Amino acid sequence: MPSPSRPRFSIAFLLAAVSICATTACSADSGPAHVASAPTASVAEPGPYGPRALASHPRELSNKPIAVGAGVVVTLPDDRSRLVAYDPATGAERWKSSVQSGYAEQAWPVGDDFIVSWGKLSPDGTDQSVVGEFVARLDGRTGKPVWSNRVIKGASRAGNIGFRPRAGVVLVTGASHYGWTTAALDLESGRTRWMKSDSVQTADDFDTGDFGGNYALIYKQLDSYADTGRLMRINPRKGVAMWTVPLRKAYGTTVYNVRNHVVVSRRGRDGGGTVLFLDGVTGKRVAEVHGEVRAEDGNIVVVASGTGVVAYDQSGTKRWEAAGTVVEAGRRGFSDGKTVYLLTGSKKEGMLSLVTLDARSGKQIASLTDQTEAELLGTINGFLIAESPYGRDGLIFAGKPHRS
């Protein structure tokens, strides 16, 4: 999963403003449609929500966490050979991926499963016939592949593959010595719906991309230095653009989908920023506020400025304000729909504090002081998961024990 602590861009595709010619192909090793049953809830608070009051110290988790879902934390060991899933409550290993290969450092939860990518080589690295980038769906309960598809053929350029499941497909872009490839894979079967090989510009991924379950959002970056480009709403089944909105110069762009609206967070040279609220049907701007998006959960968008944080609804209407809660520039937070988690304070001035706010009212629930820099990854079954800034370890923040 892309790091939540740094600005993220969309997977950028070379899509025509009107349409893209779609060619259909079968996946390399595809399987039938898959529906995984819900996992058994862990201890602590049931459901996906994390702790509201935090224990005094986080628990360390060996290996780097890259995704949270299906009741487990998916981690990437130092040898990058297999993915390992842990129970966040006990630290017990739930499964280890059956395919031994070099994994990319990202994974996305889909229902009770995970979408992952890895580079495939022969055992001694000399068999060029299997060189390429695979995207696969793993069963979240067992780690076994449901389907896999070798999207990028030939030796890939390290770090130049991006993917994200949205609107019933997995959109993938990547580079090899043959050039750039863009593809849309069916989320259930892994089969290729359409593919285009061309000179495609690259960027990181959206935080969210679904629009009504039927459309996807693409940010086509035209100038990486000035960060100018076009935001497009497309039909992911065919690649047809529904509307296009030009975006002027900025120094960082992140796009979110919040119910029926699109939210665009753009960072300025001075560290400040502007947040645009667009109507999802037409692309027209309905509101604009100053600041930078730090968290969102599908209902609210939490925007930070130099004076505090403010939560807005999908159309840019203010819901609550937490004045004096200052988040360091560029630092991301997280909201699971019940609690907003923010790392406040300044790294230069000393230790950061992990603050929890009620997602509905903005009222502060708890604060855990003297925290090192961390990258918040997600919450599940009463736990907050974060990446440690040191080495490749993870941090698990549990709920504060209740006194009888």
Side-chain angles (χ1 to χ4, degrees):
M1 188 172 188
S3 168
S5 65
R6 61 179 183 267
R8 285 172 283 186
F9 301 96
S10 71
I11 298 178
F13 299 86
L14 188 62
L15 295 177
V18 180
S19 65
I20 288 182
C21 263
T23 57
T24 304
C26 291
S27 63
D29 297 292
S30 61
H34 173 73
V35 178
S37 60
T40 303
S42 181
V43 298
E45 184 177 356
Y49 302 112
R52 293 172 71 80
L54 300 161
S56 57
H57 297 287
R59 174 165 52 91
E60 291 187 0
L61 176 68
S62 60
N63 302 331
K64 180 180 180 179
I66 61 174
V68 176
V72 297
V73 182
V74 176
T75 66
L76 184 67
D78 287 336
D79 60 9
R80 297 173 57 85
S81 62
R82 299 175 187 264
L83 296 179
V84 181
Y86 291 92
D87 185 319
T90 63
E93 181 180 310
R94 290 305 182 205
W95 53 259
K96 182 179 292 184
S97 59
S98 58
V99 178
Q100 191 166 12
S101 186
Y103 278 86
E105 294 192 19
Q106 55 180 328
W108 296 102
V110 175
D112 294 327
D113 295 345
F114 295 93
I115 305 295
V116 301
S117 70
W118 71 87
K120 183 73 172 179
L121 295 171
S122 61
D124 59 1
T126 60
D127 187 351
Q128 299 298 307
S129 65
V130 295
V131 175
E133 291 284 356
F134 281 71
V135 173
R137 180 168 181 166
L138 303 185
D139 188 312
R141 300 167 302 171
T142 64
K144 296 180 179 179
V146 178
W147 54 256
S148 64
N149 189 332
R150 183 160 63 113
V151 182
I152 311 301
K153 297 185 172 56
S156 64
R157 303 173 188 172
N160 279 339
I161 183 171
F163 65 99
R164 172 93 193 216
R166 45 163 123 34
V169 299
V170 182
L171 296 177
V172 185
T173 185
S176 71
H177 58 255
Y178 295 114
W180 286 97
T181 298
T182 302
L185 311 182
D186 185 89
L187 187 60
E188 295 301 323
S189 68
R191 293 185 175 89
T192 305
R193 290 185 178 178
W194 55 263
M195 179 179 290
K196 182 177 178 63
S197 297
D198 209 330
S199 176
V200 180
Q201 296 171 322
T202 61
D204 290 337
D205 205 355
F206 278 127
D207 277 25
T208 57
D210 269 3
F211 176 74
N214 298 314
Y215 299 93
L217 298 168
I218 299 298
Y219 177 62
K220 179 182 176 182
Q221 193 177 44
L222 301 179
D223 185 341
S224 60
Y225 294 98
D227 192 17
T228 59
R230 297 190 182 100
L231 179 67
M232 292 178 285
R233 170 188 169 186
I234 68 165
N235 183 326
R237 292 181 176 272
K238 298 180 180 180
V240 178
M242 310 303 291
W243 52 251
T244 301
V245 174
L247 297 177
R248 296 181 179 179
K249 186 176 180 179
Y251 295 90
T253 300
T254 311
V255 182
Y256 307 83
N257 179 85
V258 183
R259 298 170 65 187
N260 296 325
H261 287 69
V262 176
V263 179
V264 185
S265 183
R266 313 207 76 202
R267 191 176 67 254
R269 180 187 291 272
D270 59 357
T274 302
V275 180
L276 309 177
F277 293 79
L278 310 179
D279 182 275
V281 176
T282 64
K284 292 183 179 180
R285 187 180 306 182
V286 297
E288 178 178 332
V289 300
H290 294 292
E292 185 179 353
V293 175
R294 299 305 172 87
E296 58 83 29
D297 58 26
N299 291 311
I300 60 170
V301 179
V302 180
V303 177
S305 66
T307 59
V309 297
V310 181
Y312 300 89
D313 67 9
Q314 61 171 339
S315 61
T317 301
K318 182 177 176 180
R319 290 306 182 197
W320 51 259
E321 180 176 4
T325 302
V326 179
V327 184
E328 192 175 42
R331 188 170 303 284
R332 298 295 307 281
F334 179 80
S335 177
D336 59 14
K338 186 175 183 179
T339 307
V340 178
Y341 302 88
L342 299 171
L343 283 164
T344 65
S346 172
K347 182 181 177 182
K348 294 181 180 179
E349 297 175 358
M351 292 291 189
L352 302 171
S353 294
L354 177 59
V355 174
T356 59
L357 307 177
D358 183 82
R360 290 190 175 185
S361 66
K363 181 180 179 181
Q364 182 170 314
I365 303 167
S367 177
L368 191 60
T369 59
D370 299 329
Q371 292 303 304
T372 58
E373 181 182 2
E375 298 177 359
L376 305 181
L377 186 65
T379 62
I380 188 168
N381 294 340
F383 297 90
L384 170 67
I385 313 299
E387 296 177 354
S388 168
Y390 306 108
R392 299 173 59 85
D393 293 337
L395 300 174
I396 298 180
F397 293 88
K400 186 175 182 179
H402 294 287
R403 295 182 179 179
S404 56

